[in-house]
C-alpha cells in the first residue's frame, strides 16, 4: 500500500488580496496566537504523518525560511539568561523542510510542477497555506490521507459553499458514494456561471504522481495561469479522483474577515497567555 509521506506547500504567491502589507510581510507569516499562520500548516502536516515538506517560495519569502531555521544564537541567549522555559516557544515542528524558489508566479499548477523531482514517484500532499483548519478532531490533511489509504487514488478536500462564493474556487461534479465522499466526474476552476455543484475545493490535495505528466503539458487557463484544477480535470480522463468533505472550521487568511475571525478565536481560547 502506498503511503503519503511527502507534502508540497506552495508559498510563492504575491498575496494580492492582502496588499499593501504583503509587499513586505508574506501572508504566510501573519500572526495567529503568537505564531505565524504557516506554523499551523506545518504542524498539520506533521500531525498527519508527513515526513518531508517542499516549500515553494519566491524572492520576498526569505522570512519563512528564517522562521523554520533553528536559531542557535537565540537558544544560547535563552540558556545564558536562564529563560529555558521560552525554549518551548521557539521550537518548530519536527519535520524535514526543503525549499525551492519559483522565479515568477505562473499559477498553482506551475508551482506544484516544481515538486516533481522531490515527489520522486510517490503520492504527494499539496497544502495551500491560505487555508487554515483549526479545532478539528482530526487534522484536515489526515482526513484526506485516510481516504487515500482506502482508494489509492487522488483525493481533494471539499466544503459546501454558498452559490455566490463558488466563482472563487475549483468546483467539482461528483457522485456521492458514501456520506461526504464523492467520486469526481468533473472539476472546473472558478466557474463564473452555472457551477457544476456547491462542492468547492479547499486547499488540501493528495495527488498521484501521474499529475506531473498532466502539469507538464498544461497550458494557461483561468487568470492566464497554469491551473492545478485543469491538470486534475485532464487526469480524470484516465484515472479516478475522489473528493472528501472536510470536517471542522476552515479559515481563509487571505480574507480579512476570516483572518480577524481566527485571531479572535485564538484570543477567546485558552491558548492566550495574558
Ligand atoms: C486555489 C485553487 C482553487 C481552490 C482554492 C482553494 O485558488 O486554484 O481551485 O479552490 O485555491 O483555496 P486561489 O485561492 O489560489 O485563487
Amino acid at each position: 500500500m502506498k503511503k503519503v509521506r511527502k507534502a508540497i506547500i506552495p508559498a510563492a504567491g504575491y498575496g494580492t488580496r492582502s496588499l499593501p502589507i504583503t509587499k513586505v510581510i508574506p501572508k504566510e507569516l501573519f500572526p495567529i496566537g503568537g505564531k505565524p499562520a504557516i506554523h499551523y500548516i506545518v504542524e498539520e502536516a506533521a500531525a498527519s504523518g508527513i515526513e518531508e515538506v517542499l516549500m515553494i517560495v519566491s524572492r520576498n519569502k526569505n522570512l519563512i525560511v528564517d522562521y523554520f531555521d533553528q536559531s542557535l544564537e537565540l537558544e544560547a541567549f535563552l540558556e545564558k539568561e536562564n529563560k529555558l522555559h521560552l525554549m518551548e516557544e521557539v521550537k518548530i515542528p519536527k519535520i524535514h523542510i526543503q525549499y525551492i524558489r519559483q522565479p515568477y508566479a505562473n499559477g498553482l499548477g506551475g508551482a506544484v510542477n516544481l515538486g516533481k523531482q522531490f515527489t520522486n514517484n510517490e503520492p504527494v500532499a499539496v497544502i495551500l497555506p491560505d487555508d487554515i483548519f483549526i479545532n478539528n478532531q482530526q487534522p484536515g490533511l489526515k482526513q484526506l490521507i485516510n481516504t487515500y489509504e482506502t482508494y489509492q487514488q487522488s483525493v481533494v478536500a471539499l466544503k459546501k459553499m454558498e452559490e455566490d462564493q463558488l466563482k472563487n474556487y475549483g468546483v467539482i461534479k461528483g457522485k456521492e458514494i458514501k456520506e461526504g465522499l464523492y467520486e469526481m466526474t468533473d472539476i472546473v476552476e472558478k466557474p463564473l456561471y452555472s457551477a457544476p455543484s456547491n462542492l468547492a475545493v479547499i486547499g488540501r490535495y493528495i495527488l498521484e504522481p501521474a499529475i506531473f505528466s498532466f502539469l507538464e503539458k498544461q497550458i494557461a487557463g483561468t487568470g492566464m495561469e497554469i491551473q492545478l484544477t485543469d491538470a486534475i480535470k485532464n487526469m480524470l480522463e484516465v484515472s479516478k479522483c475522489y473528493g472528501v468533505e472536510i470536517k471542522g472550521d476552515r479559515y481563509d487568511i487571505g480574507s480579512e474577515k476570516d483572518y480577524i475571525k481566527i485571531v479572535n478565536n485564538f484570543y477567546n481560547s485558552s491558548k492566550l497567555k495574558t
Side-chain angles (χ1 to χ4, degrees):
M1 192 181 77
K2 290 174 288 176
K3 275 196 66 185
V4 187
R5 297 189 315 108
K6 296 182 178 181
I8 297 173
I9 303 181
Y14 293 117
T16 48
R17 285 186 296 163
S18 310
L19 280 168
I21 188 69
T22 40
K23 271 175 78 184
V24 287
I25 299 179
K27 70 175 168 221
E28 294 82 5
L29 295 183
F30 285 4
I32 302 168
K35 288 179 183 161
I38 198 151
H39 184 107
Y40 299 96
I41 297 289
V42 171
E43 238 171 31
E44 178 187 338
S48 303
I50 297 295
E51 296 164 17
E52 285 178 53
V53 164
L54 175 70
M55 238 181 248
I56 318 283
V57 291
S58 53
R59 279 174 72 82
N60 63 345
K61 303 288 178 112
N62 294 340
L63 284 177
I64 300 180
V65 184
D66 290 347
Y67 178 77
F68 287 107
D69 196 6
Q70 201 181 355
S71 175
L72 293 178
E73 288 157 54
L74 177 63
E75 287 175 22
F77 174 80
L78 293 176
E79 205 172 337
K80 186 170 132 262
E81 296 289 309
N82 223 356
K83 290 184 173 163
L84 284 174
H85 61 286
L86 289 178
M87 212 76 125
E88 273 305 303
E89 299 285 318
V90 299
K91 266 196 187 147
I92 47 172
K94 276 210 170 71
I95 198 164
H96 182 259
I97 307 180
Q98 48 183 297
Y99 302 87
I100 191 167
R101 264 194 181 181
Q102 188 180 23
Y104 61 93
N106 64 347
L108 178 58
V112 172
N113 197 26
L114 293 174
K116 184 180 176 191
Q117 260 188 325
F118 163 80
T119 302
N120 194 19
N121 241 9
E122 290 187 35
V124 68
V126 173
I127 315 179
L128 306 190
D130 278 10
D131 284 326
I132 305 215
F133 292 91
I134 304 243
N135 288 339
N136 291 308
Q137 293 186 328
Q138 202 172 40
L141 185 63
K142 182 75 177 93
Q143 297 177 41
L144 284 200
I145 290 179
N146 291 345
T147 302
Y148 180 82
E149 286 177 350
T150 310
Y151 294 92
Q152 302 274 292
Q153 299 281 358
S154 302
V155 192
V156 303
L158 301 172
K159 216 157 189 78
K160 286 191 176 130
M161 299 270 177
E162 297 296 330
E163 204 179 326
D164 65 331
Q165 289 300 309
L166 294 169
K167 60 179 184 305
N168 302 318
Y169 295 91
V171 181
I172 73 143
K173 188 170 169 184
K175 190 171 85 195
E176 191 165 17
I177 52 173
K178 232 164 76 173
E179 203 195 332
L181 174 66
Y182 300 81
E183 191 180 314
M184 211 191 285
T185 51
D186 198 7
I187 183 166
V188 184
E189 179 67 9
K190 306 199 171 86
L192 278 180
Y193 316 99
S194 54
S197 74
N198 62 348
L199 293 163
V201 177
I202 44 171
R204 305 287 181 274
Y205 308 75
I206 308 289
L207 298 168
E208 279 283 89
I211 192 69
F212 292 102
S213 58
F214 294 94
L215 281 172
E216 264 159 22
K217 43 183 195 259
Q218 192 56 59
I219 53 164
T222 306
M224 294 307 287
E225 294 186 337
I226 297 174
Q227 297 293 349
L228 178 59
T229 302
D230 293 342
I232 295 176
K233 186 185 177 89
N234 291 329
M235 190 168 67
L236 263 182
E237 294 188 9
V238 295
S239 54
K240 286 191 176 174
C241 185
Y242 294 87
V244 179
E245 276 184 75
I246 295 294
K247 296 192 183 82
D249 299 328
R250 170 242 178 198
Y251 302 86
D252 169 11
I253 55 148
S255 131
E256 198 167 9
K257 206 165 135 202
D258 267 19
Y259 176 64
I260 290 170
K261 241 198 250 171
I262 193 172
V263 170
N264 276 337
N265 284 359
F266 262 79
Y267 182 83
N268 294 328
S269 81
S270 55
K271 288 182 201 235
L272 196 76
K273 285 169 272 179
T274 44

